[in-house]
């Protein structure tokens, strides 16, 4: 990343404000996910409603980041690292918006589960959330700190989340057959697990954008072996 | 193997006691556009002028080491005819400089100088050159009018037509659009794009966007040295040398 100041100070200000906006959006999306899972665990419909309402803020961030990114492209014609920063930030903002959408999905299902008798297996969600949240946290750090090694590591770590997703989904599916009166709730839990698995995928995407930002390397759609062979993981 | 029009090897160049180019090694591919970029005084125009020995006209200018080969021939070899070299390696300058004659005469002059006397052949060559320079439609009904009556953009395209009329292999352009408005600039750039399969272009430009738009290869110079050379798309998205990154992103000096 460029650390020395730009000759045009206005450009540096625009870039700094742009990056701050992406980080503020990331914090908001992560907070929404945290509160959605909290609403599920604590059977708190009010909290779930506020997550659903706050998604509008994330949508506003996405629109604003796209607009400011376009403004920078039009006004300053950035090159090299600066160009990659604008492009990758706009892509990261799109991934963050989807993460917040998954938080909304979880919150909506949390409300429905709260309206039924308590289900102890809701606790099985927690380890998946913890891993998904760590992946998201590290994805954001890889972008904000220019840590491409951390960004590249997310792809492999996401495989653990995929494994947990399969295992937990299989468990809930078998419970659906056993406890037929509670089919609906288990179905909600399966979709919640799926949302958390998607948060892992989207965080991995953000990590890949951070690698592109730092080294102009496109590591998307590469297998773990290909990444290892090219020294990216 | 790639066909290289111009091969520059270990070139040192001085203006009097001041070194202007140091150990330049560069292979300019044929049938493409190569852009020279860098801050003022970095040596990019000096190197451009070395390619058709324009610097020979400057008394204190001297190549002190190295060589330039065009299509395998050393351009400083005793057997090389400098007039023919400059016909083969045409040049378009920053400021359009048509002769104070008619549009037709501007283009016909070089053709006649080449030895052509047949009026019909000259007429045909003038039309072809003006068509190649995308000026025929605008100029065909006023060929006898003064070239100085053309707009700046048209004058620059006339200079390109004048250069093309003598059938060069290589066209050197020293900031050809710096005095043109965006429309005239786009026309010249479109012209370069249309003609690059038939000619080898080397263009000096201060506009990063222009270099990114028109060139296939870009060379970045700083204080008389070639810092980085490579595919334009890579130079402008992921330069490998820190100095290049600093220059193209505006974090320089």
């Amino acid at each position: 990343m460029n650390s020395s100041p730009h000759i045009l100070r206005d450009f540096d200000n625009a870039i700094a404000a742009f990056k701050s906006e992406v980080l503020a959006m990331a914090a908001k999306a992560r907070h929404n996910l945290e509160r959605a899972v909290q609403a599920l665990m604590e059977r708190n419909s009010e909290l779930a409603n506020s997550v659903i309402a706050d998604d509008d803020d994330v949508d506003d961030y996405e629109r604003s980041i796209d607009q400011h990114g376009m403004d920078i492209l039009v006004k300053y014609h950035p090159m090299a690292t600066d160009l990659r920063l604008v492009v990758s930030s706009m892509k990261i903002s799109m991934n963050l918006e989807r993460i917040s959408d998954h938080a909304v999905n979880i919150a909506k299902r949390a409300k429905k589960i709260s309206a039924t008798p308590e289900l102890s297996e809701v606790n099985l969600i927690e380890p998946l959330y913890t891993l998904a949240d760590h992946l998201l946290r590290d994805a954001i750090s890889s972008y904000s700190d220019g840590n491409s090694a951390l960004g590249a590591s997310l792809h492999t770590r996401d495989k653990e989340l995929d494994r947990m997703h399969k295992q937990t989904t299989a468990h809930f599916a078998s419970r659906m057959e056993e406890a037929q009166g509670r089919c609906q709730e288990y179905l909600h839990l399966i979709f919640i697990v799926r949302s958390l698995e998607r948060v892992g995928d989207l965080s991995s995407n953000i990590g890949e954008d951070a690698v592109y930002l730092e080294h102009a390397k496109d590591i998307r759609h590469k297998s773990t072996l290909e990444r290892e062979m090219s020294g990216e993981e | 193997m790639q066909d290289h029009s111009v091969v520059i090897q270990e070139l040192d160049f001085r203006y009097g006691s001041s070194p202007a180019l140091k150990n330049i090694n560069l292979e300019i591919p044929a049938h493409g556009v190569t852009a020279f970029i860098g801050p003022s005084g970095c040596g990019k125009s000096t190197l451009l002028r070395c390619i058709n020995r324009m610097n020979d006209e400057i008394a204190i200018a001297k190549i002190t080491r190295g060589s330039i080969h065009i299509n395998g021939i050393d351009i400083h070899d005793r057997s090389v005819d400098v007039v023919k070299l400059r016909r083969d390696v045409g040049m378009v300058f920053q400021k359009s400089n048509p002769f104070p004659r008619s549009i037709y005469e501007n283009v016909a002059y070089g053709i006649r100088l080449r030895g052509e006397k047949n009026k019909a052949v000259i007429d045909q060559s003038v039309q072809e050159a003006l068509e190649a320079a995308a000026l025929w439609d605008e100029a065909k009904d006023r060929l006898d009018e003064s070239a100085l009556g053309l707009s700046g953009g048209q004058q620059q395209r006339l200079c390109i037509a004048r250069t093309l009329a003598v059938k060069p292999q290589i066209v050197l352009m020293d900031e050809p659009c710096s005095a043109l408005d965006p429309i005239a600039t786009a026309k010249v750039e479109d012209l370069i794009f249309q003609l690059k399969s038939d000619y080898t272009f080397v263009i000096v430009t201060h506009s990063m966007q222009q270099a990114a738009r028109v060139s296939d290869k870009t060379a970045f110079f700083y204080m008389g040295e070639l810092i980085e050379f490579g595919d334009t798309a890579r130079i402008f998205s992921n330069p490998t040398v820190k100095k290049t990154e600093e220059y193209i992103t505006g974090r320089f000096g």
Side-chain angles (χ1 to χ4, degrees):
Chain A
M1 283 290 291
N2 278 315
S3 50
S4 47
H6 196 279
I7 295 163
L8 191 60
R9 275 172 290 179
D10 191 38
F11 176 76
D12 271 345
N13 295 338
I15 284 283
F18 182 63
K19 199 171 171 184
S20 296
E21 203 172 13
V22 177
L23 292 175
M25 179 185 187
K28 186 83 189 169
R30 189 176 169 211
H31 189 51
N32 280 357
L33 183 68
E34 181 192 1
R35 290 185 308 150
V37 174
Q38 192 185 348
L40 173 72
M41 298 297 169
E42 297 174 359
R43 300 169 63 80
N44 184 342
S45 294
E46 208 172 307
L47 186 59
N49 281 334
S50 72
V51 170
I52 295 162
D54 285 357
D55 185 51
D56 287 348
D57 296 345
V58 176
D59 292 346
D60 289 344
Y61 269 124
E62 189 192 21
R63 275 190 286 268
S64 172
I65 286 164
D66 278 358
Q67 186 58 54
H68 287 143
M70 286 296 289
D71 290 347
I72 291 171
L73 292 174
V74 168
K75 208 168 161 185
Y76 303 104
H77 301 276
M79 292 285 188
T81 320
D82 297 329
L83 177 61
R84 298 203 301 274
L85 175 72
V86 175
V87 172
S88 56
S89 296
M90 287 165 84
K91 289 170 71 182
I92 285 170
S93 131
M94 191 178 73
N95 284 313
L96 290 170
E97 191 275 332
R98 287 188 188 165
I99 286 172
S100 187
D101 281 349
H102 284 292
V104 169
N105 289 343
I106 293 170
K108 284 179 177 169
R109 294 183 190 278
K111 274 174 67 180
K112 287 178 178 159
I113 291 172
S114 303
T116 65
E118 201 162 342
L119 201 63
S120 64
E121 282 153 310
V122 165
N123 289 330
L124 292 176
I125 299 291
E126 199 153 12
L128 281 109
Y129 162 68
T130 303
L131 181 52
D133 178 60
H134 285 176
L135 292 174
L136 177 56
R137 176 197 66 193
D138 291 349
I140 298 165
S141 296
S142 68
Y143 167 73
S144 65
D145 305 340
N147 187 342
S148 58
L150 185 63
S153 74
L154 296 173
H155 178 76
T156 305
R157 290 165 60 198
D158 182 44
K159 290 195 181 310
E160 171 61 12
L161 187 58
D162 292 346
R163 192 192 60 74
M164 290 164 80
H165 163 239
K166 275 187 193 146
Q167 191 182 45
T168 315
T169 300
H171 174 78
F172 288 145
S174 70
R175 291 293 293 138
M176 276 170 82
E177 288 171 15
E178 293 159 16
Q180 287 192 350
R182 310 213 64 182
C183 253
Q184 199 66 40
E185 289 95 303
Y186 283 116
L187 201 56
H188 286 314
L189 287 174
I190 285 172
F191 279 113
I192 287 171
V193 169
R194 191 173 164 216
S195 276
L196 290 171
E197 186 269 329
R198 290 293 298 138
V199 169
D201 292 344
L202 295 164
S203 300
S204 181
N205 291 351
I206 293 173
E208 289 165 355
D209 288 332
V211 172
Y212 177 72
L213 169 58
E214 285 306 304
H215 300 301
K217 272 189 187 169
D218 188 347
I219 60 169
R220 293 173 302 170
H221 315 302
K222 280 190 181 175
S223 68
T224 305
L225 182 65
E226 284 174 312
R227 289 170 188 235
E228 280 170 358
M229 285 176 73
S230 61
E232 283 145 5
E233 259 181 34
Chain B
M1 197 175 129
Q2 196 169 15
D3 179 14
H4 290 111
S5 258
V6 184
V7 178
I8 300 163
Q9 288 172 310
E10 298 177 350
L11 192 81
D12 286 350
F13 180 94
R14 284 174 176 273
Y15 287 113
S17 59
S18 309
L21 293 170
K22 298 169 209 164
N23 194 30
I24 305 295
N25 288 285
L26 182 62
E27 295 185 353
I28 297 172
H31 307 299
V33 184
T34 297
F36 288 179
I37 62 166
S40 297
C42 70
K44 57 190 186 302
S45 289
T46 298
L47 183 61
L48 191 79
R49 294 161 62 88
C50 284
I51 297 172
N52 67 350
R53 289 181 54 180
M54 285 290 277
N55 292 318
D56 289 8
E57 312 304 319
I58 304 168
I60 58 165
K62 196 179 176 193
I63 288 174
T64 53
R65 191 174 71 107
S67 64
I68 300 175
H69 287 76
I70 294 179
N71 297 331
I73 296 166
D74 184 343
I75 64 166
H76 293 98
D77 192 274
R78 281 174 178 276
S79 63
V80 168
D81 174 359
V82 180
V83 175
K84 183 181 178 306
L85 172 72
R86 290 183 192 150
R87 206 158 56 214
D88 291 342
V89 186
M91 195 158 189
V92 176
F93 298 87
Q94 183 175 3
K95 194 174 177 310
S96 54
N97 53 354
F99 308 132
R101 299 279 180 85
S102 71
I103 294 168
Y104 179 91
E105 284 301 323
N106 263 272
V107 184
Y109 184 79
I111 302 167
R112 285 203 199 98
L113 209 62
R114 206 178 56 194
E116 187 58 61
K117 292 189 174 68
N118 186 320
K119 174 88 169 65
V121 174
I122 295 172
D123 285 354
Q124 182 62 30
S125 298
V126 167
Q127 179 171 343
E128 281 171 7
L130 286 169
E131 280 173 348
L135 194 59
W136 177 250
D137 288 344
E138 292 158 74
K140 66 182 176 195
D141 298 326
R142 49 193 289 206
L143 291 174
D144 296 329
E145 291 177 25
S146 168
L148 302 178
L150 296 170
S151 71
Q154 288 171 328
Q155 285 190 16
Q156 193 62 308
R157 277 182 284 144
L158 179 64
C159 293
I160 294 171
R162 194 174 64 186
T163 304
L164 300 180
V166 295
K167 311 268 184 228
Q169 297 170 24
I170 300 167
V171 179
L172 309 175
M173 297 181 140
D174 196 355
E175 295 184 58
C177 302
S178 63
L180 304 185
D181 68 30
I183 304 291
T185 297
K187 285 183 180 170
V188 171
E189 288 180 6
D190 185 56
L191 202 57
I192 294 170
F193 188 77
Q194 299 298 331
L195 297 172
K196 73 175 185 179
S197 55
D198 297 325
Y199 301 90
T200 299
F201 284 95
V202 186
I203 178 169
V204 165
T205 178
H206 275 296
S207 163
M208 302 293 145
Q209 282 71 40
Q210 180 167 64
R213 279 194 302 267
V214 302
S215 70
D216 305 302
K217 298 269 184 185
T218 294
F220 168 59
F221 295 88
Y222 181 62
M223 292 182 72
E225 291 180 49
L226 174 63
I227 305 296
E228 188 166 357
F229 177 63
D231 289 343
T232 296
R234 185 191 63 73
I235 293 278
F236 287 107
S237 64
N238 186 30
T240 53
V241 183
K242 192 164 184 282
K243 207 66 165 169
T244 317
E245 168 95 22
E246 287 174 345
Y247 181 70
I248 64 173
T249 60
R251 293 176 170 81
F252 204 73

